[in-house]
Coordinates of all heavy atoms in Angstrom, one line a residue:
M239 N -51.4 -10.1 0.3 CA -51.2 -11.4 -0.2 C -52.3 -12.4 0.5 O -52.4 -12.3 1.7 CB -49.8 -11.9 0.0 CG -49.5 -13.2 -0.7 SD -47.7 -13.7 -0.7 CE -46.8 -12.5 0.2
I240 N -52.9 -13.2 -0.3 CA -53.9 -14.1 0.2 C -53.3 -15.5 0.2 O -52.8 -15.9 -0.8 CB -55.2 -14.1 -0.6 CG1 -55.9 -12.7 -0.6 CG2 -56.2 -15.2 -0.2 CD1 -57.0 -12.6 -1.5
Y241 N -53.4 -16.2 1.3 CA -52.8 -17.5 1.4 C -54.0 -18.6 1.4 O -55.0 -18.3 1.9 CB -52.1 -17.7 2.8 CG -50.8 -17.0 2.8 CD1 -50.7 -15.7 3.3 CD2 -49.6 -17.7 2.5 CE1 -49.4 -15.1 3.3 CE2 -48.4 -17.1 2.6 CZ -48.3 -15.8 3.0 OH -47.1 -15.2 3.0
M242 N -53.6 -19.7 0.8 CA -54.5 -20.9 0.9 C -53.7 -21.9 1.7 O -52.6 -22.2 1.5 CB -54.8 -21.5 -0.5 CG -55.7 -22.7 -0.4 SD -55.8 -23.6 -2.0 CE -54.4 -24.7 -1.8
M243 N -54.4 -22.4 2.8 CA -53.8 -23.5 3.6 C -54.1 -24.8 3.0 O -55.2 -25.1 2.6 CB -54.3 -23.4 5.0 CG -53.6 -24.4 5.9 SD -54.2 -24.4 7.6 CE -55.6 -25.5 7.4
W244 N -53.1 -25.7 2.9 CA -53.3 -27.0 2.3 C -52.8 -28.0 3.4 O -51.6 -27.9 3.9 CB -52.5 -27.2 1.1 CG -52.6 -28.6 0.5 CD1 -51.7 -29.6 0.6 CD2 -53.6 -29.0 -0.4 NE1 -52.2 -30.7 -0.1 CE2 -53.4 -30.4 -0.7 CE3 -54.8 -28.5 -0.8 CZ2 -54.2 -31.2 -1.5 CZ3 -55.6 -29.3 -1.6 CH2 -55.3 -30.6 -2.0
M245 N -53.6 -28.9 3.8 CA -53.2 -29.9 4.8 C -52.9 -31.2 4.0 O -53.7 -31.7 3.3 CB -54.4 -30.2 5.8 CG -54.0 -31.2 6.8 SD -55.3 -31.5 8.0 CE -55.5 -29.9 8.8
I246 N -51.7 -31.7 4.2 CA -51.3 -32.9 3.7 C -51.9 -34.0 4.5 O -51.5 -34.2 5.7 CB -49.7 -33.1 3.6 CG1 -49.2 -32.0 2.7 CG2 -49.3 -34.5 3.1 CD1 -47.6 -31.9 2.7
T247 N -52.8 -34.8 3.9 CA -53.5 -35.8 4.7 C -52.8 -37.2 4.6 O -53.1 -38.1 5.4 CB -54.9 -36.0 4.3 OG1 -55.0 -36.3 2.9 CG2 -55.7 -34.7 4.6
D248 N -51.9 -37.4 3.6 CA -51.2 -38.6 3.4 C -49.7 -38.4 3.5 O -49.1 -38.1 2.4 CB -51.6 -39.3 2.1 CG -51.0 -40.7 1.9 OD1 -50.2 -41.1 2.9 OD2 -51.2 -41.3 0.9
M249 N -49.1 -38.4 4.7 CA -47.7 -38.1 4.8 C -46.8 -39.2 4.3 O -45.6 -39.0 4.1 CB -47.4 -37.8 6.3 CG -48.0 -36.5 6.8 SD -47.4 -35.0 6.1 CE -45.7 -34.9 6.8
K250 N -47.4 -40.3 3.9 CA -46.6 -41.4 3.3 C -46.5 -41.3 1.8 O -45.6 -41.9 1.2 CB -47.3 -42.8 3.7 CG -47.2 -43.1 5.2 CD -47.9 -44.4 5.5 CE -47.8 -44.7 7.0 NZ -48.5 -45.9 7.3
A251 N -47.4 -40.5 1.2 CA -47.3 -40.2 -0.2 C -46.0 -39.4 -0.5 O -45.6 -38.6 0.4 CB -48.5 -39.5 -0.7
P252 N -45.4 -39.5 -1.7 CA -44.3 -38.7 -2.0 C -44.6 -37.2 -1.9 O -45.6 -36.7 -2.3 CB -43.9 -39.1 -3.4 CG -44.6 -40.4 -3.7 CD -45.8 -40.4 -2.8
L253 N -43.6 -36.4 -1.3 CA -43.8 -35.0 -1.1 C -44.1 -34.3 -2.4 O -45.0 -33.4 -2.5 CB -42.6 -34.4 -0.4 CG -42.7 -32.9 -0.1 CD1 -43.9 -32.6 0.7 CD2 -41.4 -32.5 0.6
P254 N -43.4 -34.5 -3.5 CA -43.7 -33.8 -4.8 C -45.1 -34.0 -5.2 O -45.8 -33.1 -5.7 CB -42.7 -34.4 -5.8 CG -41.6 -34.9 -5.0 CD -42.2 -35.4 -3.7
Q255 N -45.7 -35.2 -5.0 CA -47.1 -35.5 -5.4 C -48.0 -34.7 -4.5 O -49.0 -34.1 -5.0 CB -47.4 -37.0 -5.1 CG -48.8 -37.4 -5.4 CD -49.0 -38.9 -5.1 OE1 -48.1 -39.7 -5.2 NE2 -50.2 -39.2 -4.7
N256 N -47.8 -34.6 -3.2 CA -48.6 -33.7 -2.3 C -48.5 -32.3 -2.8 O -49.6 -31.6 -2.7 CB -48.2 -33.9 -0.9 CG -48.7 -35.2 -0.3 OD1 -49.9 -35.4 -0.4 ND2 -47.9 -35.9 0.5
I257 N -47.4 -31.8 -3.1 CA -47.2 -30.4 -3.5 C -48.0 -30.1 -4.8 O -48.6 -29.1 -5.0 CB -45.7 -30.0 -3.6 CG1 -45.2 -30.0 -2.2 CG2 -45.6 -28.7 -4.3 CD1 -43.7 -29.8 -2.1
Q258 N -47.8 -31.1 -5.8 CA -48.6 -30.9 -7.0 C -50.1 -30.8 -6.8 O -50.8 -30.0 -7.5 CB -48.2 -32.0 -8.0 CG -46.8 -31.9 -8.7 CD -46.7 -30.6 -9.5 OE1 -47.7 -30.1 -10.1 NE2 -45.5 -30.0 -9.4
L259 N -50.6 -31.7 -5.9 CA -52.0 -31.6 -5.6 C -52.4 -30.3 -5.1 O -53.4 -29.7 -5.5 CB -52.4 -32.7 -4.6 CG -52.4 -34.1 -5.1 CD1 -52.6 -35.1 -4.0 CD2 -53.5 -34.3 -6.2
A260 N -51.6 -29.7 -4.2 CA -51.9 -28.4 -3.6 C -51.8 -27.3 -4.7 O -52.7 -26.4 -4.7 CB -50.9 -28.1 -2.5
L261 N -50.8 -27.4 -5.6 CA -50.7 -26.4 -6.6 C -51.9 -26.4 -7.6 O -52.5 -25.4 -7.9 CB -49.4 -26.6 -7.4 CG -48.1 -26.3 -6.7 CD1 -46.9 -26.8 -7.5 CD2 -48.0 -24.9 -6.3
Q262 N -52.3 -27.6 -7.9 CA -53.5 -27.8 -8.8 C -54.7 -27.3 -8.2 O -55.5 -26.6 -8.9 CB -53.6 -29.3 -9.2 CG -52.5 -29.8 -10.1 CD -52.5 -31.3 -10.2 OE1 -53.3 -32.0 -9.7 NE2 -51.5 -31.8 -11.0
H263 N -54.9 -27.6 -6.9 CA -56.1 -27.1 -6.2 C -56.2 -25.6 -6.2 O -57.2 -24.9 -6.4 CB -56.2 -27.7 -4.8 CG -57.5 -27.3 -4.1 ND1 -58.7 -27.8 -4.4 CD2 -57.7 -26.3 -3.2 CE1 -59.6 -27.3 -3.6 NE2 -59.0 -26.3 -2.9
H264 N -55.0 -25.0 -5.8 CA -54.9 -23.5 -5.8 C -55.3 -22.9 -7.2 O -56.0 -21.9 -7.2 CB -53.5 -23.1 -5.3 CG -53.4 -21.6 -5.1 ND1 -53.3 -20.7 -6.1 CD2 -53.3 -20.9 -3.9 CE1 -53.2 -19.5 -5.6 NE2 -53.2 -19.6 -4.3
E265 N -54.7 -23.5 -8.2 CA -55.0 -22.9 -9.5 C -56.5 -23.1 -9.9 O -57.0 -22.1 -10.5 CB -54.1 -23.7 -10.6 CG -54.3 -23.1 -12.0 CD -53.4 -23.7 -13.0 OE1 -52.9 -24.8 -12.8 OE2 -53.2 -23.1 -14.1
R266 N -57.1 -24.2 -9.6 CA -58.5 -24.3 -9.9 C -59.4 -23.3 -9.1 O -60.3 -22.7 -9.6 CB -59.0 -25.7 -9.5 CG -58.7 -26.8 -10.6 CD -59.4 -28.1 -10.3 NE -59.3 -28.6 -9.0 CZ -58.3 -29.4 -8.6 NH1 -57.4 -29.8 -9.4 NH2 -58.3 -29.9 -7.4
K267 N -59.0 -23.1 -7.8 CA -59.8 -22.3 -6.9 C -59.6 -20.8 -7.2 O -60.5 -20.0 -7.2 CB -59.4 -22.6 -5.5 CG -60.2 -21.8 -4.4 CD -59.9 -22.3 -3.0 CE -60.9 -21.6 -2.1 NZ -60.8 -22.1 -0.7
Y268 N -58.3 -20.4 -7.5 CA -58.0 -18.9 -7.6 C -57.6 -18.5 -9.0 O -57.5 -17.3 -9.3 CB -56.9 -18.5 -6.7 CG -57.3 -18.7 -5.2 CD1 -56.8 -19.8 -4.5 CD2 -58.2 -17.8 -4.6 CE1 -57.1 -19.9 -3.1 CE2 -58.5 -18.0 -3.2 CZ -58.0 -19.1 -2.5 OH -58.4 -19.2 -1.2
G269 N -57.5 -19.5 -9.9 CA -57.1 -19.2 -11.3 C -55.7 -18.8 -11.5 O -55.3 -18.3 -12.6
Q270 N -54.8 -19.0 -10.5 CA -53.4 -18.7 -10.7 C -52.6 -19.8 -10.0 O -53.0 -20.3 -8.9 CB -53.1 -17.4 -10.0 CG -53.7 -16.2 -10.6 CD -53.2 -14.9 -9.9 OE1 -53.6 -14.7 -8.7 NE2 -52.5 -14.1 -10.6
V271 N -51.4 -20.1 -10.6 CA -50.5 -21.0 -9.9 C -49.7 -20.3 -8.9 O -49.2 -19.2 -9.1 CB -49.6 -21.6 -11.0 CG1 -48.6 -22.6 -10.3 CG2 -50.3 -22.4 -12.1
P272 N -49.6 -20.9 -7.7 CA -48.9 -20.2 -6.6 C -47.4 -20.1 -7.0 O -46.8 -20.9 -7.6 CB -49.0 -21.1 -5.4 CG -50.2 -22.0 -5.7 CD -50.2 -22.1 -7.2
T273 N -46.8 -19.0 -6.4 CA -45.4 -18.8 -6.6 C -44.6 -18.9 -5.3 O -43.4 -18.8 -5.3 CB -45.1 -17.4 -7.3 OG1 -45.7 -16.4 -6.5 CG2 -45.7 -17.4 -8.7
L274 N -45.3 -19.0 -4.2 CA -44.8 -19.1 -2.9 C -45.4 -20.2 -2.1 O -46.6 -20.3 -2.1 CB -45.0 -17.7 -2.1 CG -44.6 -17.7 -0.7 CD1 -43.0 -17.7 -0.5 CD2 -45.1 -16.4 0.0
I275 N -44.6 -21.0 -1.5 CA -45.1 -22.0 -0.6 C -44.3 -21.9 0.8 O -43.1 -22.0 0.8 CB -44.9 -23.5 -1.1 CG1 -45.7 -23.6 -2.4 CG2 -45.3 -24.5 -0.1 CD1 -45.5 -25.0 -3.1
E276 N -45.0 -21.6 1.8 CA -44.5 -21.6 3.2 C -44.7 -23.0 3.8 O -45.8 -23.5 3.6 CB -45.0 -20.5 4.0 CG -44.7 -19.1 3.4 CD -45.2 -17.9 4.2 OE1 -45.9 -18.2 5.2 OE2 -44.9 -16.8 3.8
H277 N -43.7 -23.5 4.5 CA -43.9 -24.9 5.0 C -43.1 -25.0 6.3 O -42.3 -24.2 6.7 CB -43.3 -25.9 4.0 CG -41.8 -25.7 3.8 ND1 -40.9 -26.4 4.5 CD2 -41.1 -24.9 2.9 CE1 -39.7 -26.0 4.1 NE2 -39.8 -25.1 3.2
G278 N -43.4 -26.1 7.0 CA -42.7 -26.4 8.3 C -41.9 -27.7 8.3 O -41.6 -28.2 9.3
M279 N -41.6 -28.1 7.1 CA -40.9 -29.4 7.0 C -39.4 -29.2 7.1 O -38.8 -28.2 6.7 CB -41.2 -30.1 5.6 CG -42.7 -30.4 5.5 SD -43.0 -31.1 3.9 CE -44.7 -30.7 3.7
Q280 N -38.8 -30.3 7.7 CA -37.3 -30.3 7.8 C -36.6 -31.1 6.8 O -35.7 -31.9 7.1 CB -36.9 -30.7 9.2 CG -37.5 -29.9 10.3 CD -37.0 -28.5 10.3 OE1 -35.8 -28.3 10.1 NE2 -37.9 -27.5 10.6
V281 N -37.1 -31.1 5.5 CA -36.6 -31.8 4.4 C -36.3 -30.9 3.3 O -36.8 -29.8 3.2 CB -37.6 -32.9 4.0 CG1 -37.8 -33.9 5.1 CG2 -38.8 -32.4 3.4
E282 N -35.5 -31.4 2.3 CA -35.2 -30.6 1.1 C -36.5 -30.6 0.3 O -37.0 -31.7 0.0 CB -34.0 -31.1 0.4 CG -33.7 -30.2 -0.8 CD -32.4 -30.6 -1.4 OE1 -31.5 -31.2 -0.8 OE2 -32.2 -30.3 -2.6
M283 N -37.0 -29.5 -0.1 CA -38.2 -29.4 -0.9 C -37.9 -29.6 -2.4 O -36.8 -29.2 -2.9 CB -38.8 -28.0 -0.8 CG -39.2 -27.7 0.7 SD -40.3 -28.9 1.4 CE -41.9 -28.2 0.8
P284 N -38.8 -30.2 -3.1 CA -38.5 -30.5 -4.6 C -38.5 -29.2 -5.4 O -39.1 -28.2 -5.1 CB -39.8 -31.3 -5.0 CG -40.8 -31.0 -4.0 CD -40.1 -30.7 -2.7
K285 N -37.6 -29.2 -6.4 CA -37.5 -28.0 -7.2 C -38.6 -28.0 -8.2 O -38.9 -28.9 -8.9 CB -36.2 -28.1 -8.0 CG -34.9 -28.3 -7.2 CD -34.6 -27.0 -6.4 CE -33.2 -27.1 -5.7 NZ -33.3 -27.1 -4.3
I286 N -39.4 -26.8 -8.2 CA -40.5 -26.6 -9.1 C -40.2 -25.2 -9.7 O -40.2 -24.2 -8.9 CB -41.8 -26.7 -8.4 CG1 -42.0 -28.1 -7.9 CG2 -42.9 -26.3 -9.4 CD1 -43.3 -28.3 -7.1
E287 N -40.1 -25.1 -11.0 CA -39.8 -23.8 -11.6 C -40.9 -22.8 -11.3 O -42.1 -23.1 -11.3 CB -39.7 -24.0 -13.1 CG -39.3 -22.7 -13.8 CD -39.1 -22.9 -15.3 OE1 -38.8 -24.0 -15.7 OE2 -39.2 -21.9 -16.0
G288 N -40.5 -21.6 -10.8 CA -41.4 -20.5 -10.5 C -41.9 -20.5 -9.1 O -42.7 -19.7 -8.7
V289 N -41.6 -21.5 -8.3 CA -42.1 -21.7 -6.9 C -40.9 -21.4 -6.0 O -39.9 -22.0 -6.1 CB -42.7 -23.0 -6.7 CG1 -43.1 -23.2 -5.2 CG2 -43.9 -23.2 -7.6
R290 N -41.1 -20.5 -5.0 CA -40.2 -20.2 -4.0 C -40.7 -20.8 -2.7 O -41.9 -20.7 -2.3 CB -40.0 -18.7 -3.8 CG -38.9 -18.3 -2.9 CD -38.6 -16.8 -3.0 NE -39.7 -16.0 -2.5 CZ -39.8 -15.5 -1.3 NH1 -38.9 -15.8 -0.4 NH2 -40.8 -14.7 -0.9
Y291 N -39.8 -21.5 -1.9 CA -40.2 -22.1 -0.6 C -39.6 -21.2 0.5 O -38.5 -20.8 0.4 CB -39.6 -23.5 -0.5 CG -40.1 -24.5 -1.5 CD1 -39.5 -24.8 -2.7 CD2 -41.4 -25.1 -1.3 CE1 -40.0 -25.7 -3.6 CE2 -41.9 -26.0 -2.2 CZ -41.2 -26.3 -3.3 OH -41.7 -27.2 -4.2
V292 N -40.4 -21.1 1.5 CA -40.0 -20.3 2.7 C -40.3 -21.2 3.9 O -41.5 -21.5 4.1 CB -40.6 -19.0 2.8 CG1 -40.3 -18.2 4.1 CG2 -40.3 -18.1 1.6
P293 N -39.3 -21.5 4.7 CA -39.6 -22.3 6.0 C -40.2 -21.3 7.0 O -39.7 -20.2 7.2 CB -38.3 -22.8 6.4 CG -37.3 -22.0 5.7 CD -37.9 -21.4 4.5
V294 N -41.3 -21.8 7.6 CA -42.0 -21.0 8.7 C -42.3 -22.0 9.8 O -42.2 -23.2 9.6 CB -43.2 -20.3 8.2 CG1 -42.9 -19.2 7.2 CG2 -44.3 -21.2 7.6
K295 N -42.8 -21.5 10.9 CA -43.2 -22.3 12.0 C -44.7 -22.7 11.9 O -45.5 -22.0 12.4 CB -42.9 -21.6 13.4 CG -43.0 -22.5 14.5 CD -42.5 -21.9 15.8 CE -42.6 -22.9 16.9 NZ -41.9 -22.4 18.1
V296 N -44.9 -23.8 11.2 CA -46.2 -24.4 11.1 C -46.0 -25.9 11.2 O -44.9 -26.4 11.0 CB -46.9 -24.1 9.8 CG1 -47.2 -22.6 9.7 CG2 -46.1 -24.5 8.6
P297 N -47.1 -26.7 11.5 CA -46.9 -28.1 11.5 C -46.4 -28.7 10.2 O -46.7 -28.1 9.1 CB -48.4 -28.6 11.8 CG -49.0 -27.5 12.5 CD -48.4 -26.3 11.9
A298 N -45.7 -29.8 10.2 CA -45.1 -30.4 9.1 C -46.1 -30.8 8.0 O -45.7 -30.9 6.8 CB -44.3 -31.6 9.5
N299 N -47.3 -31.0 8.3 CA -48.3 -31.4 7.3 C -49.1 -30.2 6.7 O -50.1 -30.4 6.0 CB -49.3 -32.4 7.8 CG -50.2 -31.8 8.8 OD1 -49.9 -31.0 9.6 ND2 -51.5 -32.3 8.9
I300 N -48.7 -29.0 7.0 CA -49.3 -27.8 6.5 C -48.5 -27.1 5.4 O -47.3 -26.8 5.7 CB -49.7 -26.8 7.6 CG1 -50.6 -27.5 8.6 CG2 -50.3 -25.5 7.1 CD1 -52.0 -27.8 8.1
L301 N -49.1 -26.7 4.3 CA -48.5 -25.8 3.3 C -49.3 -24.6 3.2 O -50.6 -24.7 3.2 CB -48.4 -26.5 2.0 CG -47.7 -27.9 1.9 CD1 -47.8 -28.4 0.5 CD2 -46.2 -27.7 2.2
L302 N -48.7 -23.4 3.1 CA -49.4 -22.2 2.9 C -48.9 -21.7 1.5 O -47.8 -21.4 1.3 CB -49.0 -21.1 4.0 CG -49.3 -21.6 5.4 CD1 -48.7 -20.6 6.4 CD2 -50.8 -21.7 5.6
L303 N -49.9 -21.6 0.6 CA -49.6 -21.3 -0.8 C -50.1 -19.9 -1.1 O -51.2 -19.5 -0.6 CB -50.3 -22.3 -1.7 CG -49.8 -23.7 -1.6 CD1 -50.6 -24.5 -0.6 CD2 -49.9 -24.4 -3.0
A304 N -49.4 -19.1 -1.9 CA -49.8 -17.8 -2.3 C -49.2 -17.4 -3.6 O -48.2 -18.0 -4.1 CB -49.4 -16.8 -1.2
V305 N -49.7 -16.3 -4.2 CA -49.1 -15.7 -5.4 C -48.5 -14.4 -4.9 O -49.1 -13.6 -4.3 CB -50.2 -15.5 -6.5 CG1 -49.6 -14.8 -7.7 CG2 -50.9 -16.8 -6.9
E306 N -47.2 -14.3 -5.2 CA -46.5 -13.1 -4.8 C -46.7 -12.0 -5.8 O -46.9 -12.2 -6.9 CB -45.0 -13.3 -4.7 CG -44.6 -14.2 -3.5 CD -43.1 -14.3 -3.3 OE1 -42.5 -15.0 -4.1 OE2 -42.6 -13.7 -2.3

């Protein structure tokens, strides 16, 4: 599995907006929408159909996106 790391640079922006930007960038770069997002946030993640979230030990502003 190949991961793309996404750094959230504006933590004041709404989380769903940041996640959508990451998903769109991954799709443009790799031609596929990610189905897995690993994150280090201690908040409830927004529901996005087809995306599974897995909490891991990374900084809160980092998302790791991949296609399972």
